[in-house]
Amino acid sequence: MTWSGVLLLTAVVWAVSLIRSVRLRALVYSLPLPMTLALVSSGHRVEGAQVVGVLGLNLFFVTVAFTYQRLRWPILLADGAGIAVYVALSAGLLAVGIPFGAALAGTLVLWLAAMLLLRRRARARPTPADARPSADARRDGLPALLKLMVIFVGAVLTTLLGAVLRGMVVTFPYSGVLVAVEARRQLVEFSRHFARNSLALVGFLTAYHYLQDVSPTVALGAGWAAFAVVAAALHLPLRPRRADRSRPPTLSRGRRGTRSTANGRDCVR
């Protein structure tokens, strides 16, 4: 990536650091801005490996969350473990070469299975992320200017690292490396929301793949349109709001046989 890409990554991470809602953080992070820059600057094609790379992005956050919260590793060491897992997955994908159709079908099946598992866990133990106090999400102890410098340096380092991954540079978690540090107190909730939004990234890559031979500009436009449609569908309410059932039912006029009490005696209307 160019310096403009580094500045864009810095802006994305900075914007995420200012957002309190975990749900909105995950949505902003899932915007395919780094993918767009990688496709424009590197010229790599989108094939099956890149679609499976979206699963690699989720695996990156799962690894960081597990090592940081369960194994109690320092966040930077946990971040390094996530990068190592993604690099290992990338090496395997580039060595095998998966057809796009098979990669897309497998990714959709795994995404659906993950969503069903997350929903089952949410029903068993509901823990709404946004209901928690959000003060800890912004209590990092760094002045704003110093924090911006740290984010910029991190963006440069991750850009240099991503450049050695050949075709998997498209889905490398550029801003994710820094976002994981920023959202370390809410990694589990963030990972759940991002896993849901990652289907929109699959839509982006799918549209780009089928139109990349027509024109890169057309492919990018179609990719962003597909991302917007899928993201909007994912955030639509699952069911309409139910009517307020707390109000007592209203008796219809003209009914007979209804008993009421007046002066201690029952009477029939």
Side-chain angles (χ1 to χ4, degrees):
M1 284 192 190
T2 60
W3 283 106
S4 60
V6 173
L7 293 177
L8 181 58
L9 293 179
T10 303
V12 171
V13 179
W14 178 256
V16 171
S17 69
L18 298 177
I19 298 173
R20 295 187 178 186
S21 170
V22 181
R23 186 188 302 271
L24 186 56
R25 280 185 170 199
L27 179 61
V28 171
Y29 169 73
S30 65
L31 294 174
L33 292 172
M35 288 186 181
T36 300
L37 288 175
L39 289 170
V40 171
S41 60
S42 66
H44 287 294
R45 295 176 59 84
V46 171
E47 303 296 345
Q50 283 72 34
V51 175
V52 181
V54 176
L55 298 178
L57 290 174
N58 287 281
L59 188 59
F60 165 81
F61 279 108
V62 170
T63 302
V64 176
F66 178 79
T67 54
Y68 177 70
Q69 295 190 347
R70 293 291 183 88
L71 302 182
R72 304 297 182 183
W73 288 12
I75 185 59
L76 294 180
L77 188 59
D79 225 354
I83 295 174
V85 169
Y86 181 86
V87 171
L89 176 65
S90 300
L93 292 175
L94 293 175
V96 174
I98 307 175
F100 184 84
L104 179 60
T107 300
L108 292 178
V109 169
L110 290 176
W111 180 88
L112 182 59
M115 293 302 101
L116 292 176
L117 179 61
L118 290 177
R119 176 171 294 185
R120 181 178 300 178
R121 290 184 175 180
R123 289 178 178 178
R125 186 179 56 185
T127 54
D130 293 337
R132 295 185 176 184
S134 58
D136 292 340
R138 305 184 66 181
R139 191 187 304 163
D140 49 27
L142 291 178
L145 183 59
L146 178 59
K147 183 177 182 179
L148 184 60
M149 293 179 60
V150 170
I151 292 175
F152 176 78
V153 173
V156 173
L157 294 178
T158 52
T159 299
L160 295 176
L161 178 61
V164 303
L165 293 177
R166 293 183 290 167
M168 296 304 292
V169 68
V170 175
T171 54
F172 181 74
Y174 292 100
S175 54
V177 175
L178 303 173
V179 169
V181 178
E182 179 64 32
R184 58 189 177 275
R185 297 180 181 89
Q186 299 168 318
L187 270 175
V188 175
E189 293 81 3
F190 182 90
S191 301
R192 291 172 181 170
H193 289 300
F194 174 71
R196 182 185 179 191
N197 296 333
S198 62
L199 183 64
L201 295 177
V202 175
F204 172 86
L205 293 174
T206 301
Y208 188 94
H209 169 79
Y210 286 110
L211 293 176
Q212 60 187 342
D213 292 331
V214 177
S215 167
T217 303
V218 173
L220 282 175
W224 274 93
F227 175 87
V229 170
V230 177
L234 289 173
H235 289 82
L236 287 176
L238 296 179
R239 63 184 65 180
R241 292 183 178 180
R242 297 180 178 179
D244 188 3
R245 297 183 177 180
S246 60
R247 298 178 180 177
T250 303
L251 295 177
S252 60
R253 296 181 179 178
R255 286 188 179 180
R256 300 195 175 205
T258 304
R259 305 182 66 87
S260 61
T261 303
N263 297 328
R265 295 182 300 175
D266 292 341
C267 61
V268 179
R269 295 179 183 175

